[in-house]
PDB file of all heavy atoms in Angstrom:
ATOM      1  N   ARG A  20     -58.424  38.308  -7.482  1.00  0.00           N
ATOM      2  CA  ARG A  20     -57.434  37.329  -7.952  1.00  0.00           C
ATOM      3  C   ARG A  20     -57.651  35.978  -7.270  1.00  0.00           C
ATOM      4  O   ARG A  20     -57.619  34.927  -7.932  1.00  0.00           O
ATOM      5  CB  ARG A  20     -56.015  37.829  -7.670  1.00  0.00           C
ATOM      6  CG  ARG A  20     -55.537  38.933  -8.578  1.00  0.00           C
ATOM      7  CD  ARG A  20     -54.056  39.227  -8.366  1.00  0.00           C
ATOM      8  NE  ARG A  20     -53.635  40.390  -9.112  1.00  0.00           N
ATOM      9  CZ  ARG A  20     -53.285  40.377 -10.388  1.00  0.00           C
ATOM     10  NH1 ARG A  20     -53.296  39.231 -11.056  1.00  0.00           N
ATOM     11  NH2 ARG A  20     -52.909  41.491 -11.003  1.00  0.00           N
ATOM     12  N   ASP A  21     -57.847  35.996  -5.966  1.00  0.00           N
ATOM     13  CA  ASP A  21     -58.045  34.743  -5.242  1.00  0.00           C
ATOM     14  C   ASP A  21     -59.292  34.021  -5.736  1.00  0.00           C
ATOM     15  O   ASP A  21     -59.296  32.790  -5.886  1.00  0.00           O
ATOM     16  CB  ASP A  21     -58.174  35.011  -3.740  1.00  0.00           C
ATOM     17  CG  ASP A  21     -56.844  35.393  -3.103  1.00  0.00           C
ATOM     18  OD1 ASP A  21     -55.790  35.074  -3.686  1.00  0.00           O
ATOM     19  OD2 ASP A  21     -56.875  36.014  -2.028  1.00  0.00           O
ATOM     20  N   SER A  22     -60.349  34.757  -5.990  1.00  0.00           N
ATOM     21  CA  SER A  22     -61.588  34.130  -6.442  1.00  0.00           C
ATOM     22  C   SER A  22     -61.430  33.529  -7.837  1.00  0.00           C
ATOM     23  O   SER A  22     -61.891  32.415  -8.101  1.00  0.00           O
ATOM     24  CB  SER A  22     -62.727  35.156  -6.426  1.00  0.00           C
ATOM     25  OG  SER A  22     -62.976  35.606  -5.114  1.00  0.00           O
ATOM     26  N   ILE A  23     -60.791  34.264  -8.732  1.00  0.00           N
ATOM     27  CA  ILE A  23     -60.562  33.716 -10.076  1.00  0.00           C
ATOM     28  C   ILE A  23     -59.638  32.505 -10.004  1.00  0.00           C
ATOM     29  O   ILE A  23     -59.850  31.502 -10.708  1.00  0.00           O
ATOM     30  CB  ILE A  23     -59.992  34.794 -11.015  1.00  0.00           C
ATOM     31  CG1 ILE A  23     -61.043  35.892 -11.257  1.00  0.00           C
ATOM     32  CG2 ILE A  23     -59.561  34.180 -12.350  1.00  0.00           C
ATOM     33  CD1 ILE A  23     -60.548  37.050 -12.110  1.00  0.00           C
ATOM     34  N   GLU A  24     -58.616  32.560  -9.156  1.00  0.00           N
ATOM     35  CA  GLU A  24     -57.723  31.408  -8.995  1.00  0.00           C
ATOM     36  C   GLU A  24     -58.496  30.190  -8.492  1.00  0.00           C
ATOM     37  O   GLU A  24     -58.221  29.052  -8.899  1.00  0.00           O
ATOM     38  CB  GLU A  24     -56.594  31.751  -8.023  1.00  0.00           C
ATOM     39  CG  GLU A  24     -55.548  32.708  -8.580  1.00  0.00           C
ATOM     40  CD  GLU A  24     -54.663  32.069  -9.643  1.00  0.00           C
ATOM     41  OE1 GLU A  24     -54.604  30.817  -9.699  1.00  0.00           O
ATOM     42  OE2 GLU A  24     -54.028  32.820 -10.405  1.00  0.00           O
ATOM     43  N   ASP A  25     -59.474  30.401  -7.610  1.00  0.00           N
ATOM     44  CA  ASP A  25     -60.295  29.285  -7.133  1.00  0.00           C
ATOM     45  C   ASP A  25     -61.071  28.649  -8.273  1.00  0.00           C
ATOM     46  O   ASP A  25     -61.268  27.428  -8.305  1.00  0.00           O
ATOM     47  CB  ASP A  25     -61.271  29.766  -6.050  1.00  0.00           C
ATOM     48  CG  ASP A  25     -60.601  29.963  -4.706  1.00  0.00           C
ATOM     49  OD1 ASP A  25     -59.432  29.559  -4.556  1.00  0.00           O
ATOM     50  OD2 ASP A  25     -61.252  30.528  -3.800  1.00  0.00           O
ATOM     51  N   VAL A  26     -61.523  29.457  -9.225  1.00  0.00           N
ATOM     52  CA  VAL A  26     -62.211  28.911 -10.405  1.00  0.00           C
ATOM     53  C   VAL A  26     -61.221  28.133 -11.262  1.00  0.00           C
ATOM     54  O   VAL A  26     -61.514  27.019 -11.725  1.00  0.00           O
ATOM     55  CB  VAL A  26     -62.880  30.033 -11.224  1.00  0.00           C
ATOM     56  CG1 VAL A  26     -63.489  29.470 -12.505  1.00  0.00           C
ATOM     57  CG2 VAL A  26     -63.955  30.731 -10.400  1.00  0.00           C
ATOM     58  N   LEU A  27     -60.056  28.691 -11.480  1.00  0.00           N
ATOM     59  CA  LEU A  27     -59.045  28.020 -12.310  1.00  0.00           C
ATOM     60  C   LEU A  27     -58.607  26.689 -11.707  1.00  0.00           C
ATOM     61  O   LEU A  27     -58.212  25.771 -12.447  1.00  0.00           O
ATOM     62  CB  LEU A  27     -57.827  28.928 -12.483  1.00  0.00           C
ATOM     63  CG  LEU A  27     -58.034  30.175 -13.351  1.00  0.00           C
ATOM     64  CD1 LEU A  27     -56.831  31.092 -13.253  1.00  0.00           C
ATOM     65  CD2 LEU A  27     -58.280  29.777 -14.800  1.00  0.00           C
ATOM     66  N   HIS A  28     -58.678  26.557 -10.396  1.00  0.00           N
ATOM     67  CA  HIS A  28     -58.242  25.327  -9.737  1.00  0.00           C
ATOM     68  C   HIS A  28     -59.381  24.324  -9.524  1.00  0.00           C
ATOM     69  O   HIS A  28     -59.190  23.332  -8.813  1.00  0.00           O
ATOM     70  CB  HIS A  28     -57.586  25.658  -8.388  1.00  0.00           C
ATOM     71  CG  HIS A  28     -56.213  26.245  -8.531  1.00  0.00           C
ATOM     72  ND1 HIS A  28     -55.991  27.600  -8.620  1.00  0.00           N
ATOM     73  CD2 HIS A  28     -54.989  25.662  -8.614  1.00  0.00           C
ATOM     74  CE1 HIS A  28     -54.690  27.825  -8.744  1.00  0.00           C
ATOM     75  NE2 HIS A  28     -54.060  26.669  -8.740  1.00  0.00           N
ATOM     76  N   GLN A  29     -60.509  24.551 -10.156  1.00  0.00           N
ATOM     77  CA  GLN A  29     -61.596  23.582 -10.070  1.00  0.00           C
ATOM     78  C   GLN A  29     -61.175  22.264 -10.721  1.00  0.00           C
ATOM     79  O   GLN A  29     -60.601  22.252 -11.809  1.00  0.00           O
ATOM     80  CB  GLN A  29     -62.855  24.121 -10.754  1.00  0.00           C
ATOM     81  CG  GLN A  29     -63.515  25.272 -10.026  1.00  0.00           C
ATOM     82  CD  GLN A  29     -64.050  24.869  -8.663  1.00  0.00           C
ATOM     83  OE1 GLN A  29     -64.826  23.930  -8.533  1.00  0.00           O
ATOM     84  NE2 GLN A  29     -63.619  25.598  -7.635  1.00  0.00           N
ATOM     85  N   SER A  30     -61.489  21.161 -10.064  1.00  0.00           N
ATOM     86  CA  SER A  30     -61.121  19.850 -10.620  1.00  0.00           C
ATOM     87  C   SER A  30     -61.973  19.507 -11.843  1.00  0.00           C
ATOM     88  O   SER A  30     -61.538  18.730 -12.698  1.00  0.00           O
ATOM     89  CB  SER A  30     -61.259  18.763  -9.553  1.00  0.00           C
ATOM     90  OG  SER A  30     -62.586  18.714  -9.051  1.00  0.00           O
ATOM     91  N   TYR A  31     -63.162  20.059 -11.937  1.00  0.00           N
ATOM     92  CA  TYR A  31     -63.982  19.900 -13.147  1.00  0.00           C
ATOM     93  C   TYR A  31     -63.673  21.072 -14.059  1.00  0.00           C
ATOM     94  O   TYR A  31     -63.730  22.231 -13.646  1.00  0.00           O
ATOM     95  CB  TYR A  31     -65.472  19.865 -12.792  1.00  0.00           C
ATOM     96  CG  TYR A  31     -66.345  19.636 -14.001  1.00  0.00           C
ATOM     97  CD1 TYR A  31     -66.468  18.363 -14.547  1.00  0.00           C
ATOM     98  CD2 TYR A  31     -67.030  20.686 -14.601  1.00  0.00           C
ATOM     99  CE1 TYR A  31     -67.249  18.149 -15.664  1.00  0.00           C
ATOM    100  CE2 TYR A  31     -67.811  20.475 -15.715  1.00  0.00           C
ATOM    101  CZ  TYR A  31     -67.919  19.209 -16.251  1.00  0.00           C
ATOM    102  OH  TYR A  31     -68.680  18.991 -17.370  1.00  0.00           O
ATOM    103  N   ARG A  32     -63.372  20.793 -15.329  1.00  0.00           N
ATOM    104  CA  ARG A  32     -62.782  21.783 -16.206  1.00  0.00           C
ATOM    105  C   ARG A  32     -63.748  22.393 -17.219  1.00  0.00           C
ATOM    106  O   ARG A  32     -63.384  23.344 -17.906  1.00  0.00           O
ATOM    107  CB  ARG A  32     -61.604  21.161 -16.972  1.00  0.00           C
ATOM    108  CG  ARG A  32     -60.599  20.425 -16.102  1.00  0.00           C
ATOM    109  CD  ARG A  32     -59.912  21.359 -15.135  1.00  0.00           C
ATOM    110  NE  ARG A  32     -59.075  22.339 -15.811  1.00  0.00           N
ATOM    111  CZ  ARG A  32     -58.507  23.381 -15.219  1.00  0.00           C
ATOM    112  NH1 ARG A  32     -58.706  23.581 -13.917  1.00  0.00           N
ATOM    113  NH2 ARG A  32     -57.764  24.221 -15.889  1.00  0.00           N
ATOM    114  N   ARG A  33     -64.951  21.851 -17.346  1.00  0.00           N
ATOM    115  CA  ARG A  33     -65.850  22.340 -18.400  1.00  0.00           C
ATOM    116  C   ARG A  33     -66.701  23.490 -17.848  1.00  0.00           C
ATOM    117  O   ARG A  33     -67.817  23.280 -17.389  1.00  0.00           O
ATOM    118  CB  ARG A  33     -66.732  21.196 -18.912  1.00  0.00           C
ATOM    119  CG  ARG A  33     -67.420  21.498 -20.235  1.00  0.00           C
ATOM    120  CD  ARG A  33     -68.315  20.343 -20.646  1.00  0.00           C
ATOM    121  NE  ARG A  33     -67.546  19.141 -20.893  1.00  0.00           N
ATOM    122  CZ  ARG A  33     -66.977  18.832 -22.049  1.00  0.00           C
ATOM    123  NH1 ARG A  33     -67.102  19.656 -23.061  1.00  0.00           N
ATOM    124  NH2 ARG A  33     -66.307  17.715 -22.191  1.00  0.00           N
ATOM    125  N   TRP A  34     -66.153  24.681 -17.923  1.00  0.00           N
ATOM    126  CA  TRP A  34     -66.834  25.857 -17.397  1.00  0.00           C
ATOM    127  C   TRP A  34     -66.438  27.084 -18.197  1.00  0.00           C
ATOM    128  O   TRP A  34     -65.454  27.095 -18.933  1.00  0.00           O
ATOM    129  CB  TRP A  34     -66.501  26.092 -15.923  1.00  0.00           C
ATOM    130  CG  TRP A  34     -65.035  26.110 -15.578  1.00  0.00           C
ATOM    131  CD1 TRP A  34     -64.301  25.082 -15.061  1.00  0.00           C
ATOM    132  CD2 TRP A  34     -64.118  27.200 -15.755  1.00  0.00           C
ATOM    133  NE1 TRP A  34     -62.990  25.453 -14.884  1.00  0.00           N
ATOM    134  CE2 TRP A  34     -62.855  26.756 -15.301  1.00  0.00           C
ATOM    135  CE3 TRP A  34     -64.225  28.504 -16.237  1.00  0.00           C
ATOM    136  CZ2 TRP A  34     -61.716  27.569 -15.335  1.00  0.00           C
ATOM    137  CZ3 TRP A  34     -63.104  29.313 -16.267  1.00  0.00           C
ATOM    138  CH2 TRP A  34     -61.866  28.843 -15.807  1.00  0.00           C
TER     139      TRP A  34
END
Side-chain angles (χ1 to χ4, degrees):
R20 286 188 187 277
D21 287 339
S22 297
I23 294 177
E24 288 289 341
D25 283 350
V26 175
L27 290 171
H28 286 91
Q29 290 295 305
S30 58
Y31 183 77
R32 310 296 294 170
R33 196 182 296 274
W34 51 262

